Amino acid sequence: MFDSRHIKTFHAVVTAGSYSAAARVLGYTQPAITQQMKALERAVGTPLFTRVGRRMRLTEAGEALSRHAETILDSLTAAQQQMSSLTRLRAGRVRVCAFPSASATLIPEALARLAADHPGIRVELLEGEPPDSIRRLVRGECDITLAFTYPGLHEQVPEELVEIPLMEDQLTVLMPVGHPLARRRAVQLADLSEERWIAGCLRCRTNFLHECAEVGFAPDIAFTTDDNLVVQSLVAEGLGIAMMPGLVLSFMRHDRITGRALDPASRRQVSAYVLRDHLRIPATALVLDELKAVAARRVGC
């Protein structure tokens, strides 16, 4: 209904007391002030000023608008300042949903880099495994999702999302340090067909079963858990072995377990996902840049 420029001019006229005084304050011509006030009166549908001799007096409508004008202009100024802070990366909020091993490795390092250079950017961390984390992104519950895929599993990415590859994460086998195969630098999955196994999240478990089937056996899965620390504890107690991503090796907490690469190598692709339009949001783009920089140093992990 209102043009903000007309409100600013109206407030100047009320404050200065006349069209000519407002023109001097704003640096406009008096005819320009008159045109703007006529346009504002057309917008509200009633006169805002009345003349009494040489003086102007506000009508009832003018009095009402005058009471709101300063608040309107203050709100516009605050909005402009906030938009400036967001676009200049002095402020902003980015919600990141990540799977546990990324939350324990990539995320902390990226957020530390971000906090050092852009302390006004607030990042909220949510945890979730794919494909649920991808669905949360589509539903608008987060702004960036970190997820992983396996080469043998064909999965469709929703059309509205952009996938940004970050790194390849090499799979390893966690086993007790005293395991007979722990002396090897790498192990073949077929050599572990008689072992008891600890399986992880649904996507990891599906890939694990697929890889075992490829080499001709069905694994004996004794335990299933999404908690990486629980997996480590079970392996440390000799209750089974586990196929785990390389990222987990960087936060192993048991000195009684060790990790061995698979031969031939098996990897998963770790990527960031974002709604296409959100790539243009400065704070979101900045967080993505930090994640890419951190992941680049872990290529081949």
Side-chain angles (χ1 to χ4, degrees):
M1 182 176 179
F2 301 133
D3 186 315
S4 61
R5 295 170 301 171
H6 296 166
I7 297 294
K8 182 178 179 181
T9 301
F10 171 77
H11 183 61
V13 171
V14 173
T15 303
S18 68
Y19 285 3
S20 57
R24 288 193 296 270
V25 171
L26 297 175
Y28 295 164
T29 64
Q30 183 169 332
I33 298 290
T34 301
Q35 289 175 2
Q36 287 197 40
M37 291 304 90
K38 286 182 178 180
L40 182 58
E41 288 178 334
R42 286 196 298 271
V44 299
T46 186
L48 298 172
F49 300 98
T50 184
R51 285 193 174 276
V52 180
R54 291 188 173 184
R55 298 178 57 191
M56 283 196 320
R57 181 180 298 169
L58 289 169
T59 64
E60 183 180 3
E63 292 280 4
L65 184 57
S66 179
R67 289 193 293 270
H68 293 290
E70 190 166 351
T71 300
I72 293 170
L73 293 174
D74 286 346
S75 295
L76 285 171
T77 300
Q80 289 168 348
Q81 290 173 346
Q82 186 172 2
M83 294 305 102
S84 177
S85 293
L86 291 171
T87 56
R88 294 172 186 267
L89 294 173
R90 292 194 297 265
R93 181 189 71 158
V94 182
R95 299 163 300 167
V96 179
C97 185
F99 54 95
S101 55
S103 295
T105 53
L106 303 179
I107 296 292
E109 189 175 348
L111 296 194
R113 288 166 52 98
L114 184 71
D117 296 330
H118 300 278
I121 304 296
R122 176 184 176 87
V123 177
E124 297 178 3
L125 180 59
L126 299 81
E127 195 166 279
E129 298 276 5
D132 182 59
S133 57
I134 296 292
R135 290 193 287 265
R136 296 183 74 175
L137 178 61
V138 174
R139 291 195 301 263
E141 296 175 13
C142 58
D143 305 301
I144 299 172
T145 283
L146 265 60
F148 55 86
T149 56
Y150 290 100
L153 306 179
H154 302 291
E155 298 170 287
Q156 291 281 355
V157 177
E159 291 183 0
E160 61 267 43
L161 301 186
V162 175
E163 179 182 0
I164 302 165
L166 296 178
M167 60 175 288
E168 287 190 336
D169 189 12
Q170 184 168 311
L171 299 182
T172 63
V173 176
L174 292 189
M175 58 183 66
V177 292
H179 194 284
L181 296 181
R183 295 189 295 269
R184 300 182 184 179
R185 295 184 61 184
V187 296
Q188 294 184 342
L189 192 56
D191 292 338
L192 301 168
S193 60
E194 300 302 317
E195 298 284 344
R196 298 176 76 207
W197 289 88
I198 303 154
C201 72
L202 177 60
R203 181 168 291 192
C204 293
R205 188 162 66 251
T206 301
N207 175 71
F208 171 57
L209 292 171
H210 171 76
E211 293 205 22
C212 290
E214 287 287 296
V215 297
F217 76 96
D220 175 14
I221 298 177
F223 304 97
T224 299
T225 175
D226 293 348
D227 191 318
N228 291 318
L229 291 178
V230 173
V231 173
Q232 293 179 43
S233 296
L234 291 171
V235 173
E237 296 298 333
L239 297 172
I241 64 175
M243 181 187 289
M244 299 290 282
L247 283 174
V248 173
L249 298 183
S250 65
F251 59 92
M252 284 205 307
R253 292 294 178 264
H254 289 279
D255 56 9
R256 290 182 290 158
I257 62 177
T258 186
R260 291 294 179 265
L262 285 166
D263 179 24
S266 180
R267 297 181 176 87
R268 66 178 182 175
Q269 176 66 50
V270 177
S271 298
Y273 297 83
V274 64
L275 289 166
R276 194 174 305 276
D277 289 343
H278 285 195
L279 287 171
R280 298 179 300 178
I281 297 175
T284 300
L286 181 63
V287 173
L288 287 170
D289 286 343
E290 296 294 359
L291 288 169
K292 286 187 284 188
V294 168
R297 295 200 293 273
R298 291 177 175 267
V299 171
C301 180

